[in-house]
Amino acid sequence: MRLILLPLLLLIISGCASPGKPNTESQPVKFAARPKNIILLIGDGMALSQASAGIYWIGVGKTSFERFPVVGFHKSHSSNDLVTDSAAGATAFSCGQKTTNGTIGMLQPGNRPCRTILEDLDSIGFATGMVVTCSAPHATPASFIAHREIRAFTEDIALDYLKTNLDCFIGGGEHYFNDRPDHLNLEDSLKKNGYVIRRGTSLRGLPLDGSAPFMLFTADREPPTASADRHYLPVATRAVCEYLQKRSDKGFFLMVEGSQIDWACHANDRNWLRAELTDFDKTIKQALDFAASNGETLVIVTGDHECGGLALTEGQSRREFKPVFAARLHTAALVPVYAYGPLAERFSGIYDNTEIYSKMWSTLGIR
Ligand code: MG
Ligand code: ZN
């Protein structure tokens, strides 16, 4: 009898949490003084209106967004444009410097490569990984491991994957590695470097015990949309957190991207956007649950820029809204930054997108 009553009682107590408290978790988490691990989740094209739409579509009080105790805003502009693109946007996060639109992991003028936080943490023994819903050479993941003057140099960007010690990659774009105009087989080279290469979306057969680095190609080109049966991002994110933990005692850096939120907004497609936001929210949940389970993981969720000029206008009834897009391209709106974990409070305020980089370093206390 007691066994049945206890969980019931806990449910009742947690359901009575005071309304001002963030919906973080039922048990308070004791955080370490500093984070050991960082999970940076980027919703491409996701600013305040996209997150708002996600909250209303998924259900008020039910989303992962509402679990964050700290929110800030970043100014997303690039070095040459108030409206950034994803290459300059991600390079601001990865290198901590503003660059020109279209540039991957380089500063302009002069095509000066900048070291990324992923590369630097790797060089001091951190495990590193990326899980995305675009292809490997696409601008956002590329900006963490590649250094190219133009984002469209996708064949060259794929080559840069061979220059890193990335512990794992999950995402699309296999043809950039095994079906190239230069006839190089990058998969063979990766295998020689000890990588396990798999294709598909099943995690079975991956060295998740931490015994080897791996790349899982979820598509030959771009992965399908979340509205077309793509489900791997949440489960892969959680599995990779646990895998990276086994790869290094020092800690890990994981970049996760909901890549297609941006594409749905470019297409002004509300159903696609809804599916992508729902998928990304589930992915954030996995990261937060992992972080809550160990208290030594900093979770940061942000977007690189707004896309589509999304407005939530009055709907058919008073209980629904009508999404209206004012643009087909990106806009200059400020982008929210959600933080959870040790020293998360450093991410409050309004600051440049480049400060995401410096704040991540400052929380680690390494520099
Ligand atoms: Mg992207
Ligand atoms: Zn875009």
Side-chain angles (χ1 to χ4, degrees):
M1 192 64 177
R2 244 182 239 162
L3 281 173
I4 300 165
L5 277 175
L6 187 64
L8 237 178
L9 194 69
L10 283 172
L11 250 177
I12 293 164
I13 293 167
S14 63
C16 294
S18 64
K21 284 246 175 88
N23 161 27
T24 307
E25 63 280 317
S26 44
Q27 309 265 315
V29 175
K30 177 105 174 68
F31 291 138
R34 290 184 180 283
K36 179 177 174 186
N37 315 307
I38 293 182
I39 308 172
L40 173 62
L41 298 108
I42 302 172
D44 199 311
M46 186 187 79
L48 192 54
S49 50
Q50 285 75 14
S52 311
I55 287 172
Y56 290 126
W57 276 327
I58 296 162
V60 173
K62 293 181 184 159
T63 67
S64 307
F65 292 105
E66 292 156 275
R67 288 172 62 179
F68 287 90
V70 176
V71 181
F73 285 92
H74 77 68
K75 294 174 276 184
S76 65
H77 64 273
S78 68
S79 70
N80 67 335
D81 203 322
L82 205 50
V83 178
T84 188
D85 85 319
S86 295
T91 299
F93 301 154
S94 68
C95 286
Q97 308 258 12
K98 295 215 187 238
T99 191
T100 54
N101 286 5
T103 305
I104 301 282
M106 284 183 152
L107 308 182
Q108 303 294 8
N111 294 331
R112 290 164 287 143
C114 52
R115 294 272 297 172
T116 74
I117 187 167
L118 189 153
E119 292 167 326
D120 277 337
L121 286 174
D122 164 68
S123 71
I124 56 170
F126 277 60
T128 57
M130 296 200 285
V131 184
V132 300
T133 52
C134 61
S135 58
H138 212 276
T140 310
S143 298
F144 285 82
I145 57 98
H147 307 278
R148 301 288 173 175
E149 61 195 278
I150 297 176
R151 58 184 286 173
F153 291 170
T154 42
E155 312 287 345
D156 295 334
I157 291 169
L159 277 173
D160 282 357
Y161 272 82
L162 292 171
K163 299 174 189 161
T164 73
N165 287 316
L166 194 67
D167 289 87
C168 71
F169 172 82
I170 298 181
E174 185 173 20
H175 83 97
Y176 291 108
F177 294 80
N178 68 1
D179 184 17
R180 297 169 54 86
D182 60 11
H183 304 298
L184 291 174
N185 189 325
L186 307 190
E187 291 192 339
D188 284 348
S189 311
L190 285 163
K191 282 181 199 161
K192 272 185 207 130
N193 292 349
Y195 279 80
V196 172
I197 311 284
R198 290 279 182 274
R199 69 179 58 94
T201 55
S202 167
L203 304 178
R204 249 177 276 148
L206 294 175
L208 292 176
D209 58 358
S211 57
F214 71 85
M215 293 187 80
L216 174 64
F217 289 110
T218 57
D220 193 41
R221 293 172 185 276
E222 299 301 341
T225 68
S227 46
D229 231 19
R230 191 204 70 230
H231 302 295
Y232 68 81
L233 193 67
V235 56
T237 295
R238 182 59 185 255
V240 164
C241 287
E242 278 154 22
Y243 161 83
L244 291 174
Q245 223 178 7
K246 295 173 196 153
R247 290 288 291 170
S248 170
D249 289 335
K250 279 206 129 175
F252 69 74
F253 177 81
L254 169 62
M255 194 286 285
V256 177
E257 189 196 20
S259 318
Q260 298 193 27
I261 295 168
D262 183 63
W263 306 353
C265 289
H266 280 294
N268 288 184
D269 185 329
R270 67 185 70 169
N271 294 327
W272 185 6
L273 176 61
R274 183 175 184 156
E276 292 299 342
L277 287 168
T278 304
D279 184 61
F280 196 55
D281 183 68
K282 286 182 191 158
T283 306
I284 298 168
K285 178 184 189 302
Q286 292 301 321
L288 285 175
D289 288 350
F290 173 82
S293 75
N294 58 54
E296 55 183 15
T297 303
L298 176 65
V299 179
I300 302 149
V301 176
T302 190
D304 46 359
H305 50 71
E306 203 277 338
C307 179
L310 177 62
L312 278 57
T313 66
E314 261 191 283
Q316 299 249 318
S317 81
R318 291 183 187 211
R319 300 194 60 81
E320 58 191 273
F321 69 93
K322 184 179 168 204
V324 174
F325 294 93
R328 286 268 175 190
L329 299 174
H330 304 165
T331 76
L334 296 191
V335 180
V337 182
Y338 309 83
Y340 172 91
L343 302 179
E345 60 277 9
R346 294 193 183 176
F347 289 82
S348 69
I350 298 181
Y351 42 84
D352 265 319
N353 53 358
T354 51
E355 285 190 40
I356 305 266
Y357 168 94
S358 42
K359 287 175 191 296
M360 288 192 294
W361 276 110
S362 88
T363 62
L364 290 170
I366 295 169
R367 281 186 168 173

